[in-house]
Amino acid sequence: MKVFCGRANPTTGSVEWLEEDEHYDYHQEIARSSYADMLHDKDRNVKYYQGIRAAVSRVKERGQKALVLDIGTGTGLLSMMAVTAGADFCYAIEVFKPMADAAVKIVEKNGFSDKIKVINKHSTEVTIGPDGDMPCRANILITELFDTELIGEGALPSYEHAHRHLVQENCEAVPHRANIYAQLVESRRMWSWNKLFPIRVQTRLGERVIVPPPEMERCPGAPSVCDIQLNQVSPTDFTVLSDVLPMFSVDFSKQVSSSSACHIRQFEPLASGRAQVVLSWWDIEMDPEGKIRCTMAPFWAHTDPQELQWRDHWMQCVYFLPQEEPVLQGSALCLVAHHDDYCVWYSLQRTSPEKNGRVHPVRPVCDCQAHLLWNRPRFGEINDQDRTDQYVQALRTVLKPDSVCLCVSDGSLLSMLAHHLGAEQIFKANHLEDKINVIEKRPELLTSADLGGKKVSVLLGEPFFTTSLLPWHNLYFWYVRTSMDQHLGPGAVVMPQAASLHAVVVEFRDLWRIRSPCGDCEGFDVHIMDDMIKRALDFRESKEAEPHPLWEYPCHSLSEPQQILTFDFRQPVPLQPVRAEGSIKLRRPGRSHGAVLWMEYHLTPDSTVSTGLLKPAEDKGDCCWNPHCKQAVYFFSTTLDPRAPSGGPQAVSYVVEFHPDTGDVTMDFTLSDTPDDGH
């Protein structure tokens, strides 16, 4: 059966109705899931198995049958571990039907059908009794319901219900306990992801400063957690203001509450500074004694950094305080962790909240609208003074005292830069001063009346649009420029004047794992997952490039970066596809995991802004990526196996095509034994 799905095309700006297979959403869910990453997380798997084996032994020692409830079974891996450890029977709950179906097949393939029952329901819908899903309550509770924030996937309500309705009192639980840790820091870099800094503009009349409005300065920011690979943040990017503080614990073997709560930890700052950011992570103890522990601690807080486990399904959290506050070394403060049933947030108090009555403050929510328009990387991009200076220099070369400018980007400050540099009139399309007119229309719908009957002499863009996911989605600027032909005056300047698509072949340190075959996992055959992921990746969109912030995922280049396609914004979008074929020669040894693609915007002939590589790779090929943008990664299917030998292919052949009618960029990369000298 086919269904029609409406979507806004991020490149062309048009609304499209696409015919999709009825299982399209399922395939997308599988393709973009972290199942492969979890199955490759050996530390997680080993610790779970050790904890399960110990729990089964404790139940058996009491002379009881070991009846297991596994909530969120996924592939059924933990249930199979339980049966292997001696459990008498296991009820495996999985709400996502395609995964439940896969779990049934995996359980059957491994010979456990007689001892594992897969139940395709949400755990809150599971019934107990002679005619129910389970004949009686379980005495061992196994779960893997956690996200980077621990409770963001609804772990607390699920545990609360399970203890009330599905498991025996004082049951064994794996994991047994979770512990949340926090560390207070000062970090200009991370704070720039949350607050707009004053922006300095050098003009002919001296320095002008663009300052954020008071409501933005007062705003507590976005309520959502910022989850990142904290191990990739340099220690020089933050100043530690506190020790690592254990904030609170959850005992999963007892009744769990999902009610809102706060947990107070008094501490003395290690240094004076400005409290801005709380770094947070958790660990889980698989046994009551806490001897089997799986931790998400970053390297500086890890008991053994040499055994640090890379994982992408669980990372670390960055929380922003509602406002930065000065702290003095040795002067006692209280860090307060608040949570409801799904979210955690932090506040800093001079005295105990219990004494001043602010035990359960309302979760901070953005009230300035900026945090709804700009995500964290975009805040960092706007606060990048070097980038601003580059745009200012470029604007100086195209602006004249009588320039009439139209700025087309989402939430851009280019209009203010142009104003301070002396443009006569600025129209800001898409979303102060007497010379800046904000036009609340889609730019392609502008009329002459909207522009006051004037012709545009300078069309500006960063380009940045909130709907963009992949680098070339910002080519929407080109479509806007095309629709603006009638409004452009003679000799009108377009900035950026052009863009180019670039690619480099890389070997990832770890990111390859998310697309690596599962095969056998801890002795269990889970090849079915490989088949599911492969089928999902065969669907449109999933099988092509994926957006990833590569500053968080180290890699080194095996080739030199190569320009693939160019786009001339001085001309309208062409009617015919733009195609490029060629090869990329591999110059360094390593495993070719994939190609990274990004856009470079040529503001003027002498000024280029890159959304990808910021400087040439060093001798070893280490890459420095733009931290404000996501790059596109095209994984090579033939090198997903990490056990493949080094060496091999000498070049990567490519066919890349831009389709003007849809705005899509399609691509195909093929490993070849001999390089093609042609491009």
Side-chain angles (χ1 to χ4, degrees), residues 198-345:
I199 298 170
R200 304 183 183 280
V201 184
Q202 293 295 335
T203 72
R204 289 172 297 177
L205 302 177
E207 184 180 79
R208 299 289 184 90
V209 181
I210 301 173
V211 296
E215 58 267 26
M216 284 187 67
E217 293 193 319
R218 293 192 300 266
C219 180
S224 58
V225 65
C226 179
D227 53 338
I228 65 171
Q229 293 281 357
L230 201 53
N231 288 312
Q232 300 309 314
V233 177
S234 170
T236 61
D237 281 334
F238 60 92
T239 300
V240 170
L241 299 180
S242 78
D243 289 317
V244 175
L245 305 173
M247 296 305 300
F248 65 95
S249 298
V250 182
D251 187 336
F252 296 128
S253 69
K254 299 177 181 177
Q255 182 61 57
V256 172
S257 172
S258 62
S259 300
S260 298
C262 77
H263 308 271
I264 305 158
R265 180 66 61 179
Q266 190 173 44
F267 71 100
E268 293 186 358
L270 301 176
S272 298
R274 303 196 67 80
Q276 298 169 325
V277 174
V278 176
L279 309 180
S280 185
W281 57 89
W282 49 265
D283 64 28
I284 44 179
E285 298 172 3
M286 301 298 186
D287 62 323
E289 295 79 23
K291 295 179 179 178
I292 309 169
R293 178 175 297 184
C294 183
T295 180
M296 308 307 121
F299 67 87
W300 67 86
H302 204 286
T303 53
D304 187 359
Q306 297 301 316
E307 295 190 4
L308 201 65
Q309 170 74 45
W310 184 87
R311 45 174 68 94
D312 203 45
H313 58 106
W314 294 330
M315 293 185 278
Q316 293 80 35
C317 300
V318 173
Y319 296 95
F320 303 99
L321 294 177
Q323 298 295 329
E324 64 178 5
E325 299 186 37
V327 299
L328 294 175
Q329 182 177 2
S331 180
L333 292 170
C334 291
L335 183 64
V336 187
H338 313 265
H339 74 80
D340 54 23
D341 48 351
Y342 284 90
C343 301
V344 178
W345 65 97

Side-chain angles (χ1 to χ4, degrees), residues 408-672:
V408 182
S409 284
D410 284 346
S412 175
L413 301 184
L414 277 183
S415 55
M416 301 192 70
L417 299 181
H419 166 67
H420 285 302
L421 292 171
E424 179 188 86
Q425 187 165 3
I426 299 102
F427 296 96
K428 188 179 179 186
N430 241 27
H431 302 192
L432 303 165
E433 312 230 5
D434 56 354
K435 286 190 177 181
I436 300 180
N437 299 336
V438 179
I439 305 172
E440 296 186 6
K441 267 189 178 182
R442 292 184 63 87
E444 62 268 32
L445 301 179
L446 292 178
T447 65
S448 179
D450 295 321
L451 300 172
K454 295 187 177 184
K455 292 290 186 179
V456 173
S457 57
V458 181
L459 178 64
L460 302 174
E462 296 197 41
F464 171 84
F465 302 99
T466 55
T467 54
S468 298
L469 296 175
L470 293 163
W472 45 88
H473 287 167
N474 286 318
L475 287 175
Y476 174 56
F477 177 78
W478 200 8
Y479 289 83
V480 171
R481 176 259 176 272
T482 302
S483 71
M484 292 294 300
D485 247 357
Q486 60 182 317
H487 302 303
L488 299 180
V493 174
V494 179
M495 192 192 96
Q497 66 180 26
S500 50
L501 178 66
H502 297 249
V504 66
V505 179
V506 303
E507 177 181 31
F508 286 107
R509 183 198 299 173
D510 297 297
L511 188 62
W512 58 267
R513 300 174 195 273
I514 69 172
R515 293 294 171 259
S516 179
C518 307
D520 290 331
C521 180
E522 310 307 326
F524 301 104
D525 184 344
V526 293
H527 281 89
I528 290 170
M529 282 305 303
D530 295 334
D531 296 337
M532 291 179 66
I533 292 173
K534 183 179 184 303
R535 288 197 302 272
L537 292 173
D538 284 340
F539 266 62
R540 183 181 52 78
E541 289 188 358
S542 295
K543 67 179 180 180
E544 299 192 356
E546 308 172 10
H548 291 283
L550 291 188
W551 74 267
E552 296 184 54
Y553 303 101
C555 62
H556 73 270
S557 62
L558 304 184
S559 72
E560 298 304 317
Q562 190 159 310
Q563 182 173 299
I564 304 294
L565 291 175
T566 58
F567 312 93
D568 188 350
F569 297 158
R570 294 167 298 185
Q571 304 297 324
V573 175
L575 298 177
Q576 300 301 317
V578 180
R579 179 184 175 94
E581 295 185 49
S583 66
I584 304 174
K585 185 176 181 181
L586 303 182
R587 300 183 179 277
R588 298 182 183 90
R591 295 169 181 164
S592 304
H593 290 132
V596 178
L597 300 100
W598 68 94
M599 298 289 286
E600 295 191 359
Y601 295 100
H602 310 291
L603 307 183
T604 67
D606 302 319
S607 180
T608 296
V609 173
S610 173
T611 67
L613 284 177
L614 295 183
K615 59 184 180 181
E618 300 175 355
D619 292 341
K620 294 182 179 179
D622 292 337
C623 298
C624 178
W625 298 104
N626 186 323
H628 312 311
C629 305
K630 288 184 178 181
Q631 293 73 39
V633 179
Y634 184 104
F635 288 100
F636 300 154
S637 59
T638 55
T639 56
L640 290 178
D641 187 349
R643 295 164 292 185
S646 299
Q650 300 177 25
V652 173
S653 300
Y654 63 83
V655 178
V656 179
E657 191 166 12
F658 168 66
H659 303 270
D661 55 336
T662 63
D664 292 334
V665 174
T666 59
M667 62 196 69
D668 184 39
F669 290 88
T670 307
L671 297 173
S672 57

Side-chain angles (χ1 to χ4, degrees), residues 68-130:
V68 175
L69 174 63
D70 174 10
I71 300 179
T73 193
T75 62
L77 177 64
L78 302 184
S79 292
M80 292 189 295
M81 287 181 176
V83 173
T84 303
D88 293 279
F89 203 85
C90 184
Y91 301 92
I93 314 300
E94 176 55 52
V95 68
F96 184 38
K97 189 176 189 309
M99 276 309 307
D101 293 342
V104 170
K105 294 176 182 177
I106 292 171
V107 165
E108 181 179 353
K109 190 176 182 85
N110 286 273
F112 294 111
S113 297
D114 59 333
K115 288 199 171 185
I116 297 176
K117 178 183 179 182
V118 178
I119 302 171
N120 178 210
K121 287 185 176 182
H122 193 281
S123 63
T124 57
E125 299 172 342
V126 172
T127 57
I128 302 290

